[in-house]
Amino acid sequence: MRKKWIAAGIGMIMAVSLTGCSGKLSNDYVTINQYKGLEVSKVEKTEVTDEMVENTINSYLTADQTKTEITDRAAELGDTVDIDYTGTMDGVAFDGGSATGAMLELGSGSFIGATDSYKGFEEQIVGHNPGETFTITVQFPSDYQKADFSDKVADFEIKLNKIYEVKTPELTDEWVQTMSEESKTVEEFKKEIREKMEKNIQASADGQLQQAVMDAFLEQIEVKQLPKDQVDEQYKSIEETYQKMAEAYGVEFADFLSSYMNMTEEQFKEQAQEAAETAVKRDLACKLLAEKKNLEPSDKEYEEMAETYAKQSNYEDVETFKKEVGEDVVKSAVLQQKVVEYLADNCVQVEPSDSEK
């Protein structure tokens, strides 16, 4: 199953299309009508702001919090409590009003606040001890997101399971040195985070552009004939993937399709056949373009990209990855990546239409 998932995932990542002005390329199987100057919608990149950097660093600080259980006193504002609660209106429980093991920082304003007539949810927990069960009464605000609850009064039976004192570390040079292998100071850490965010945004933009250009490329491919054995192999791979998914859910294949995929077996066969043919068409077209434009990866490029794929798929070493996924699958993925990069380098980005925006 792992092999099939990785192969399918790599195939999706490699999807690309063509539009533009160029000569045709053709062989016994497909004709590529265009591969240069393909028009695709311009990919807009998000600018990394100081606020985004600060929020990211704050998330690291929060993740590094220490939590100490308090057993010798009642809950106070600033404590984090573990509670079970059940909410009722006129004695009837309502949807979304119950939870077990909920973690709540008292004073955070996360839950229902005070009104003129009733205290807030969080402040009514203050003063209670671990193990206590008690009932509080609150009033939903008039502008509550669920209009049916606006201004309604509700009772909550609460069990206070545990009280914790949570401490968030301060952003200091010393803390930075425990978190980063590159940075020694707070300013260096901020720069490091910004650069990583910009790199991730660029990678995302590249991926969007490559996906768009592959979709355009596929539209420029005319099929003469597809090797039946290759289509059958792709179909079998797709079918096996979904059959294993059904096994993982512990249901029959037909039940899995109807319950989780909202389709019949006939619909699945039709869509799987179409996907298999598209995959083979893409593979043949990429091989043709790579051959005519000398895009075949060198041995060094192949090994470097195979290692990247292995890491992305959480394999400890590339040889195990090649063995389990299949070296032919990896080689195809690497070649398609080279092709899609070529297409992206030679495409034309245009302003998206109003509907695309």
Side-chain angles (χ1 to χ4, degrees):
M1 180 178 180
R2 191 178 191 185
K3 172 180 176 179
K4 304 302 181 186
W5 272 115
I6 295 169
I10 291 176
M12 290 175 64
I13 294 171
M14 297 306 108
V16 181
S17 70
L18 298 166
T19 324
C21 301
S22 94
K24 292 184 178 182
L25 300 177
S26 186
N27 60 17
D28 292 340
Y29 301 108
V30 295
T31 295
I32 300 173
N33 290 316
Q34 186 180 344
Y35 56 89
K36 279 190 176 182
L38 299 175
E39 289 191 359
V40 295
S41 294
K42 184 178 180 180
V43 176
E44 300 291 345
K45 292 189 295 184
T46 303
E47 181 182 354
V48 178
T49 64
D50 291 343
E51 182 180 4
M52 292 168 65
V53 173
E54 293 293 338
N55 289 340
T56 299
I57 292 176
N58 287 336
S59 70
Y60 285 127
L61 290 167
T62 300
D64 199 36
Q65 289 175 333
T66 57
K67 187 169 65 174
T68 304
E69 184 176 356
I70 304 299
T71 58
D72 59 353
R73 64 168 173 80
E76 300 175 353
L77 287 175
D79 288 340
T80 295
V81 293
D82 177 327
I83 56 174
D84 303 336
Y85 60 86
T86 302
T88 59
M89 291 184 185
D90 298 324
V92 179
F94 54 88
D95 291 341
S98 302
T100 58
M103 301 298 291
L104 171 63
E105 181 185 347
L106 302 182
S108 64
S110 304
F111 281 34
I112 302 168
T115 64
D116 291 340
S117 303
Y118 297 90
K119 293 182 178 180
F121 188 104
E122 296 170 24
E123 64 183 293
Q124 293 188 65
I125 296 176
V126 172
H128 291 280
N129 290 285
E132 276 192 61
T133 298
F134 51 95
T135 300
I136 66 172
T137 302
V138 298
Q139 183 178 31
F140 286 94
S142 57
D143 59 350
Y144 193 67
Q145 57 187 359
K146 291 185 178 180
D148 292 346
F149 286 12
S150 296
D151 295 321
K152 294 289 182 66
V153 174
D155 295 318
F156 284 88
E157 182 179 87
I158 298 175
K159 180 182 178 184
L160 178 52
N161 299 316
K162 293 182 179 180
I163 302 172
Y164 296 100
E165 184 178 51
V166 177
K167 290 186 177 181
T168 303
E170 294 183 10
L171 180 58
T172 62
D173 292 348
E174 290 73 23
W175 178 82
V176 165
Q177 291 165 26
T178 67
M179 295 296 295
S180 173
E181 295 181 356
E182 303 174 22
S183 302
K184 300 298 182 184
T185 68
V186 171
E187 289 307 311
E188 288 176 358
F189 189 57
K190 289 181 178 180
K191 181 180 179 181
E192 177 188 343
I193 295 300
R194 181 182 293 275
E195 290 175 350
K196 287 182 177 179
M197 293 179 71
E198 290 173 342
K199 183 178 179 181
N200 289 337
I201 288 173
Q202 183 63 55
S204 177
D206 290 344
Q208 291 180 51
L209 177 61
Q210 291 173 10
Q211 179 66 57
V213 80
M214 179 58 82
D215 290 340
F217 180 58
L218 290 175
E219 292 177 2
Q220 297 298 319
I221 300 168
E222 293 180 15
V223 176
K224 299 178 182 179
Q225 60 176 330
L226 295 177
K228 186 176 183 301
D229 58 335
Q230 294 184 32
V231 175
D232 289 345
E233 183 179 353
Q234 283 287 343
Y235 180 92
K236 182 179 179 181
S237 175
I238 294 170
E239 185 177 50
E240 287 179 354
T241 296
Y242 284 91
Q243 285 176 340
K244 290 182 182 297
M245 289 174 64
E247 292 175 8
Y249 279 90
V251 297
E252 295 295 325
F253 186 52
D255 294 333
F256 172 78
L257 292 177
S258 61
S259 299
Y260 295 94
M261 304 297 294
N262 195 29
M263 66 173 64
T264 65
E265 287 189 79
E266 286 303 315
Q267 289 172 324
F268 171 81
K269 290 178 181 179
E270 181 179 343
Q271 293 187 29
Q273 181 68 24
E274 182 180 347
E277 291 174 359
T278 298
V280 174
K281 178 176 76 170
R282 181 179 62 240
D283 183 58
L284 292 171
C286 286
K287 287 179 178 178
L288 173 59
L289 184 57
E291 178 186 354
K292 296 299 183 181
K293 294 297 175 181
N294 298 317
L295 302 176
E296 292 89 348
S298 65
D299 291 343
K300 181 180 179 181
E301 288 175 321
Y302 169 69
E303 292 299 335
E304 288 177 348
M305 295 180 73
E307 186 174 350
T308 297
Y309 291 150
K311 289 180 179 178
Q312 292 174 345
S313 302
N314 296 320
Y315 278 81
E316 293 184 359
D317 66 274
V318 67
E319 295 307 320
T320 301
F321 170 73
K322 292 178 185 177
K323 183 177 179 180
E324 292 194 14
V325 175
E327 192 150 11
D328 55 337
V329 174
V330 180
K331 287 182 177 179
S332 178
V334 172
L335 182 140
Q336 289 188 35
Q337 180 62 33
K338 286 274 292 183
V339 168
V340 76
E341 289 174 357
Y342 171 84
L343 294 172
D345 288 341
N346 289 277
C347 76
V348 177
Q349 295 190 57
V350 298
E351 291 297 329
S353 63
D354 290 339
S355 61
E356 290 174 321
K357 289 180 180 179

